Amino acid sequence: MMALLKVEDIHTYYGDSYVLQGVSLEVKRGEVVALLGRNGAGKTTTLRTIMGIIKPRRGKILFKGVDITPMPAFKVARMGIGYVPQGRRLFPEMTVLENLKTGMRKKGNGDKLDEIFDLFPALKDRLSQKASTLSGGEQQALSIARALLTEPEILLLDEPTTGLMPLLVSRLREVIEKLHEDGMAILLVEEKVPFALSVAERLYFMVKGKIAYEGSRRDLEDKRDVFIRYLGVKN
Amino acid sequence: MPEGVGFILFYLINGLIWGLIIALISLGLSLIFGVMGIVNMAHGDIYMIGAVLSFYFVSLFGNFWISLLIVPLIVALIAAPTERFILRPFEGHPSVTMIATVGISFILQQVALATFGGIPKKISSPWEVSFDFLGVSYPGYRLLVAAISALIIIGVWLFLYRTSLGILIRASMQDKEMASAMGINVNKVLIGTFVLGSVLAAIGGVLAAPISQVFYLMGNDVILLCFIVVIVGGLGSLEGTLIAALLLSSVEGAMAAFLTPTEARAMIFIIMVAVLMLRPQGLFGSNSA
Ligand SMILES: Nc1ncnc2c1ncn2[C@@H]1O[C@H](COP(=O)(O)OP(=O)(O)O)[C@@H](O)[C@H]1O
Ligand SMILES: [Mg+2]
């Protein structure tokens, strides 16, 4: 089957600093894939490059077989890639409802909004509240909800568990599982290895701007050394 | 000349009416800065162009109200390509765009000087009615200007805070990169904002033409006050801009009862310095700004 998202050997720079040194990965339709790596490995930069926020100097990004590399971010988003950035990046001065509306491109998708409230009931009572006044968990919910309203076929999640207490982390796991059941593809950047292992079918390990290892969850079951080698952590 | 309470009231109302025009123009300046990050040094000259064009329309058709409809359209048609071809290429380089707007300012002034001439001209009041209250006879046109300005400000406000397009503009104002990652075509927002901001300045110019002198340098005085308003209100805060415009203009107006215009303007500077010493981010600015 053709990959939904295919990243082919991208090289991305910030000015002179050579950050992504040939990253290739792919996500199939409906697949949940994790991208792991130490701080500074280039995970966020990979997602930003996929989104078209920064342009790679070399390499290609294909989405549904279309070369999206030259597209501006708004076109990439409209193609069907939803972005939940590191640090949430809500529009702090706008209300919860207004934040949600930034994602609602198509008119009359009120049904979509109801689905969102099924997934994140807490948001429903906070619609007229400013986004900046939400708790950490609610902010993360809003950031994901906003991205889902663009009706993506794949969701890029950048460290969604950061700052969430354990109960909320397992809530988030349920949300991801639910989205997965509904056929959403997800590329998850994570620092919490157990969390990534519990939701992702396949995992990539990134070291210094390169993919150092790729394997399925099953492959990794008896390879704890991989985690130590690439992440410097004991799982 | 009015006397007593009426005397001060007269100046206060004058200041408030002028404040509404200033609010209109400053709102444009504040939007352009907030959304585009551009310090538009030509904003006052767009106001001037509004007044000058209005002068021509009034002499051509003998009807002021036509100019109030058509001049904003003409200015919109000039503003759109200006953003696209002069400012857009320098997007993300604030100092370069600022210099570019200084150039635009110079061009607008010179074009006005070359065509309109260097002598101040007057437009007669389009509504020769006056109202009496508290023993003061007040020109009706000024009250009408206040009402029209207030309506336009409310309209812009509803547009920004109650429509889905307004949401896209405010989202771009807060985080352009994230806005585009949400599928918002930020380039369209930028051009739309520049057109809207310029149109507000031009409407200010048309409305002000019959109550001030039409002159190719008339923008210089206004742009200064508008910058003070935007700074005192807090950079990036639209409500701050509105409140500061009304506040400062009323104060300046009331003080004009006792002081010369230059002294009154000096007081405005003193207020600005005082506000900035107590609140460096301005009245409504966020701490991080
Ligand atoms: N805006 C930027 N400008 C310059 N360097 C950056 C920028 N953002 C990230 N970097 C650098 O790029 C490298 C990769 O960063 P990032 O993609 O954020 O890593 P990760 O998400 O894996 O922690 C780091 O060395 C970081 O310092
Ligand atoms: Mg990161």
Side-chain angles (χ1 to χ4, degrees):
Chain A
M1 195 175 83
M2 184 183 73
L4 177 66
L5 175 72
K6 194 167 170 61
V7 174
E8 286 180 4
D9 189 35
I10 51 171
H11 298 251
T12 302
Y13 293 71
Y14 283 114
D16 285 337
S17 109
Y18 186 19
V19 177
L20 298 188
Q21 311 186 352
V23 171
S24 301
L25 56 84
E26 61 173 56
V27 181
K28 298 188 185 72
R29 261 180 211 286
E31 196 184 21
V32 179
V33 174
L35 179 59
L36 309 179
R38 289 187 201 185
N39 238 332
K43 305 178 297 294
T44 297
T45 307
T46 304
L47 298 191
R48 283 162 54 87
T49 309
I50 294 171
M51 271 322 284
I53 295 169
I54 10 169
K55 296 293 167 197
R57 284 205 200 156
R58 212 139 63 72
K60 249 205 248 179
I61 300 154
L62 301 171
F63 182 63
K64 296 191 277 190
V66 178
D67 184 1
I68 60 167
T69 328
M71 287 186 188
F74 81 91
K75 282 202 175 139
V76 173
R78 290 180 188 184
M79 284 286 292
I81 303 186
Y83 184 44
V84 180
Q86 192 166 8
R88 285 106 202 214
R89 303 266 300 261
L90 299 172
F91 303 110
E93 298 296 317
M94 303 204 311
T95 66
V96 169
L97 183 60
E98 287 171 338
N99 267 274
L100 292 172
K101 282 186 174 171
T102 58
M104 296 168 72
R105 311 254 83 234
K106 299 174 193 114
K107 289 224 172 0
N109 50 359
D111 295 353
K112 197 73 196 163
L113 208 51
D114 286 338
E115 284 173 34
I116 293 295
F117 294 146
D118 286 344
L119 213 50
F120 305 106
L123 292 181
K124 202 171 179 175
D125 306 323
R126 305 235 182 279
L127 290 181
S128 56
Q129 210 169 310
K130 267 194 184 177
S132 56
T133 65
L134 296 181
S135 71
E138 290 162 348
Q139 291 198 9
Q140 188 56 267
L142 179 54
S143 188
I144 297 173
R146 182 179 68 169
L148 288 175
L149 283 169
T150 65
E151 304 192 33
E153 288 172 58
I154 185 172
L155 207 53
L156 312 182
L157 294 172
D158 198 343
E159 306 209 1
T161 62
T162 304
L164 296 190
M165 50 189 210
L167 181 69
L168 291 174
V169 172
S170 51
R171 262 295 288 139
L172 183 64
R173 179 182 301 119
E174 287 164 25
V175 166
I176 291 177
E177 280 162 2
K178 174 80 174 46
L179 291 171
H180 180 45
E181 277 168 28
D182 294 347
M184 177 79 69
I186 293 173
L187 178 56
L188 167 76
V189 164
E190 230 342 294
E191 52 176 3
K192 293 191 176 68
V193 174
F195 182 80
L197 272 175
S198 72
V199 294
E201 297 143 78
R202 260 180 337 110
L203 301 92
Y204 290 95
F205 289 78
M206 218 175 158
V207 176
K208 291 184 187 151
K210 291 185 176 120
I211 300 292
Y213 180 89
E214 181 210 336
S216 69
R217 173 165 38 195
R218 191 160 309 144
D219 294 338
L220 283 161
E221 259 162 16
D222 49 350
K223 287 193 182 164
R224 297 305 181 221
D225 60 309
V226 169
F227 293 98
I228 298 167
R229 180 140 36 105
Y230 299 124
L231 303 177
V233 294
K234 289 203 175 78
N235 179 29
Chain B
M1 248 302 112
E3 287 166 28
V5 181
F7 173 73
I8 297 198
L9 203 63
F10 177 86
Y11 279 100
L12 200 64
I13 290 174
N14 248 352
L16 204 60
I17 288 171
W18 194 237
L20 281 163
I21 297 182
I22 292 294
L24 200 62
I25 305 166
S26 305
L27 191 58
L29 187 67
S30 190
L31 262 175
I32 289 173
F33 177 78
V35 177
M36 310 176 73
I38 290 177
V39 178
N40 185 11
M41 302 299 288
H43 201 66
D45 302 291
I46 297 169
Y47 157 84
M48 175 274 290
I49 290 294
V52 167
L53 286 176
S54 179
F55 180 90
Y56 281 124
F57 271 94
V58 170
S59 8
L60 260 170
F61 300 109
N63 187 328
F64 172 80
W65 305 107
I66 292 181
S67 76
L68 187 56
L69 291 178
I70 297 180
V71 170
L73 283 178
I74 297 177
V75 167
L77 290 178
I78 301 171
T82 303
E83 194 282 332
R84 179 62 189 83
F85 298 109
I86 301 179
L87 300 176
R88 180 85 53 84
F90 304 115
E91 195 192 330
H93 303 276
S95 47
V96 183
T97 48
M98 187 164 151
I99 292 167
T101 63
V102 171
I104 295 168
S105 159
F106 189 72
I107 292 168
L108 292 178
Q109 288 184 6
Q110 292 308 308
V111 167
L113 177 62
T115 54
F116 182 76
I119 298 160
K121 293 171 192 163
K122 280 194 103 69
I123 296 182
S124 56
S125 171
W127 202 38
E128 299 278 11
V129 173
S130 49
F131 293 95
D132 285 333
F133 54 86
L134 293 170
V136 184
S137 166
Y138 206 82
Y141 176 71
R142 287 181 179 245
L143 298 176
L144 198 59
V145 164
I148 294 173
S149 303
L151 279 178
I152 293 172
I153 290 169
I154 292 169
V156 170
W157 208 257
L158 291 177
F159 169 67
L160 288 173
Y161 287 86
R162 291 285 179 275
T163 69
S164 36
L165 264 177
I167 289 174
L168 304 189
I169 293 178
R170 284 188 297 133
S172 307
M173 190 163 174
Q174 290 170 48
D175 189 338
K176 270 195 207 57
E177 190 177 290
M178 200 51 225
S180 57
M182 291 302 300
I184 298 172
N185 185 345
V186 175
N187 279 341
K188 275 195 190 161
V189 171
L190 294 182
I191 200 165
T193 302
F194 192 72
V195 167
L196 175 62
S198 301
V199 162
L200 289 176
I203 292 176
V206 174
L207 290 175
I211 53 176
S212 64
Q213 294 195 321
V214 182
F215 182 48
Y216 80 108
L217 294 177
M218 69 191 282
N220 291 353
D221 200 34
V222 162
I223 191 71
L224 188 62
L225 188 53
C226 290
F227 274 122
I228 295 175
V229 159
V230 172
I231 291 168
V232 167
L235 291 178
S237 164
L238 299 178
E239 61 262 61
T241 297
L242 286 187
I243 289 166
L246 297 180
L247 211 71
L248 291 177
S249 300
S250 308
V251 169
E252 193 176 39
M255 283 188 305
F258 314 102
L259 306 172
T260 66
T262 317
E263 287 165 349
R265 180 53 62 84
M267 286 300 295
I268 295 299
F269 271 100
I270 292 170
I271 292 175
M272 175 178 80
V273 171
V275 167
L276 292 184
M277 276 165 64
L278 295 172
R279 275 184 73 82
Q281 72 274 30
L283 294 177
F284 287 78
S286 55
N287 283 310
S288 55

